[in-house]
Amino acid sequence: MPTEPDPVPEPAAARPAPVTLDDYRTAAQALVDPAAWGYIEGGSGAETTLRESEAAYRRYRLRPRVLVDVSHCDLRTTLLGSPVELPVAIAPMAYHGLVSPEAEPGTVRAAAAAGALTVVSTFSGTPLEEIAEAAAGAPLWMQLYVFRDRATTEALVRRAEAAGYRALVVTVDTPRVPRRARDLRNAFSLPPGMGPANFDDRHASGLQQASQGASVIGAHAARHHDAAFGWDDLAWLRSLTTLPLVLKGVLTGEDAARAAELGVEGIVVSNHGGRQLDGAVPALDALPEVVAAVAGRCEVYVDGGVRRGTDVLTALALGARAVLLGRPVLWGLAVAGSAGARDVLSVLRAELEDAMALSGRPDLASLDAGLLRPCGTPVGPAASLSPLTEALHRTPSKESTPR
């Protein structure tokens, strides 16, 4: 008796192309090694700050103006004098090769195509000189940790300056790396062949040796980071280079004011993506305090939690000159290499342009805290601002040119 042929399986439905940053997150998770995903996505402690950094943007509503000519929206600005096409820079993140063989060169090519600035991590998996070559003249800043061996730090500074980097971004919130539960559970370590490409073998030691319940990243920081680095040491950094100094990891007006008094050129309001002190304030919540404290004496940027164009709009209205975008760039890189990272920036740009047009704000110079109303306050300009955001209106601008 003849048997029935096996049914031909239905072709799998093609996954829709990502259209939001959250779509890229979902698609990337299926493609990235679970331990590497935990390292990229995880935070410290109970991950309270990690969650609240995104949630902080939902605590504002927009007050759009109408009958404004928004036939063209201008997103251009300058960051420490470097012209860029949009107020979004790529945040420093280590080891892009965890998600794509294109690694850091793929990321900077994406940024160059979008007209964006990239902050390159000290712990890149590609030498900083090769990253500069891939950027092909697009603006780069060098993120810097200060090490116990000051000669190591000095050599990195001089290499960055020689390679054409335009500023040093000194991360100041990592005297140590705290417990990150996902890394501990996954016994995270770097895969064979991957390591900190800007250093010799001493700095790569142990990073590929997994140990259950331990973090190779935390152990590495304990061996090499200079936990004694303080305010007085900024003068030593100044003596090494003519590059502008930006401090990343400031969350209080007190520290911001002191940094401005010492002449730093920029501040990144950041809680390290929720990866350092759990329970620290979301960067967006700290932004108005920092902007008011520096009173136009240096540029202020904010890092962490940006997932939509309206998030960028909110940060700019609260006084940031630009936002730094971290994890979503890696999601795009994981999904489609450099083209995916470029599309992430394109999506954010399109969303920001929509938000500006629909808010009646045709350029960055037109953005201020009057655009915002914190959730839970009565409707109307008199009740729309907190005392901190009101201070932004009283703070004289450092310059009158568009941001």
Side-chain angles (χ1 to χ4, degrees):
M1 181 177 180
T3 59
E4 293 290 328
D6 292 334
V8 177
E10 293 283 338
R15 183 187 295 272
V19 295
T20 68
L21 270 57
D22 283 336
D23 289 346
Y24 269 103
R25 187 204 303 250
T26 300
Q29 185 172 6
L31 299 171
V32 176
D33 172 81
W37 184 256
Y39 169 68
I40 292 164
E41 290 291 289
S44 64
E47 298 188 345
T48 301
T49 295
L50 175 65
R51 292 189 297 273
E52 290 187 352
S53 291
E54 290 189 36
Y57 289 90
R58 311 284 82 78
R59 294 199 289 269
Y60 288 92
R61 295 294 179 265
L62 301 173
R63 302 177 61 247
R65 304 300 300 270
V66 298
L67 297 179
V68 177
D69 182 357
V70 290
S71 56
H72 173 71
C73 290
D74 189 354
L75 277 61
R76 294 174 298 171
T77 188
T78 60
L79 303 181
L80 295 181
S82 293
V84 292
E85 294 298 313
L86 71 167
V88 179
I90 294 180
M93 297 172 287
Y95 308 120
H96 295 203
L98 287 170
V99 302
S100 168
E102 294 190 47
E104 288 85 2
T107 300
V108 297
R109 285 194 294 269
L117 180 146
T118 303
V119 185
V120 175
S121 172
T122 287
F123 290 112
S124 60
T126 305
L128 65 91
E129 292 86 358
E130 292 183 24
I131 296 172
E133 290 178 9
L140 298 176
W141 293 353
M142 187 73 204
Q143 179 268 334
L144 184 71
Y145 290 109
V146 176
F147 299 104
R148 292 180 181 182
D149 178 6
R150 292 292 177 87
T152 297
T153 304
E154 180 175 350
L156 189 65
V157 169
R158 298 197 186 284
R159 286 173 57 195
E161 189 169 31
Y165 288 73
R166 303 185 190 184
L168 295 178
V169 180
V170 186
T171 296
V172 294
D173 61 359
T174 54
R176 66 170 63 194
V177 170
R179 289 170 60 85
R180 298 173 183 169
R182 299 198 208 193
D183 289 350
L184 299 178
R185 294 189 186 106
N186 294 327
F188 174 74
S189 64
L190 296 182
M194 185 176 297
N198 293 315
F199 303 102
D200 60 26
D201 290 343
R202 288 180 304 140
H203 279 270
S205 174
L207 286 171
Q208 297 171 353
Q209 298 171 3
S211 178
Q212 195 63 42
S215 166
V216 298
I217 302 298
H220 186 273
R223 288 195 303 273
H224 296 291
H225 286 198
D226 185 359
F229 183 73
W231 290 104
D232 292 342
D233 295 304
L234 290 178
W236 168 74
L237 272 181
R238 285 281 192 204
S239 73
L240 301 180
T241 180
T242 59
L243 292 176
L245 292 185
V246 178
L247 300 190
K248 179 177 180 290
V250 174
L251 288 171
T252 66
E254 298 94 323
D255 284 343
R258 186 164 186 180
E261 288 164 6
L262 291 174
V264 304
E265 286 82 0
I267 290 173
V268 181
V269 183
S270 171
N271 56 39
H272 213 99
R275 296 161 71 82
Q276 283 299 106
L277 176 63
D278 193 36
V281 296
L284 188 74
D285 289 352
L287 175 61
E289 176 181 340
V290 169
V291 170
V294 304
R297 289 173 289 178
C298 65
E299 294 185 0
V300 177
Y301 325 103
V302 68
D303 165 59
V306 170
R307 301 292 180 263
R308 300 171 179 85
T310 49
D311 296 347
V312 181
L313 188 70
T314 298
L316 299 181
L318 288 175
R321 192 174 188 88
V323 304
L324 272 62
L325 185 70
R327 292 176 176 97
V329 176
L330 296 183
W331 303 339
L333 194 69
V335 171
S338 185
R342 183 171 68 248
D343 190 54
V344 162
L345 294 171
S346 296
V347 166
L348 201 60
R349 179 190 178 94
E351 291 181 349
L352 174 58
E353 192 165 355
D354 283 349
M356 289 174 61
L358 295 173
S359 296
R361 307 295 176 118
D363 54 37
L364 302 186
S366 66
L367 301 178
D368 58 38
L371 175 61
L372 303 176
R373 180 171 67 87
C375 292
T377 60
V379 176
S384 65
L385 303 179
S386 70
L388 284 175
T389 53
E390 284 177 344
L392 297 180
H393 293 289
R394 300 192 299 269
T395 301
S397 175
K398 187 176 182 182
E399 58 185 359
S400 59
T401 55
R403 293 187 301 176

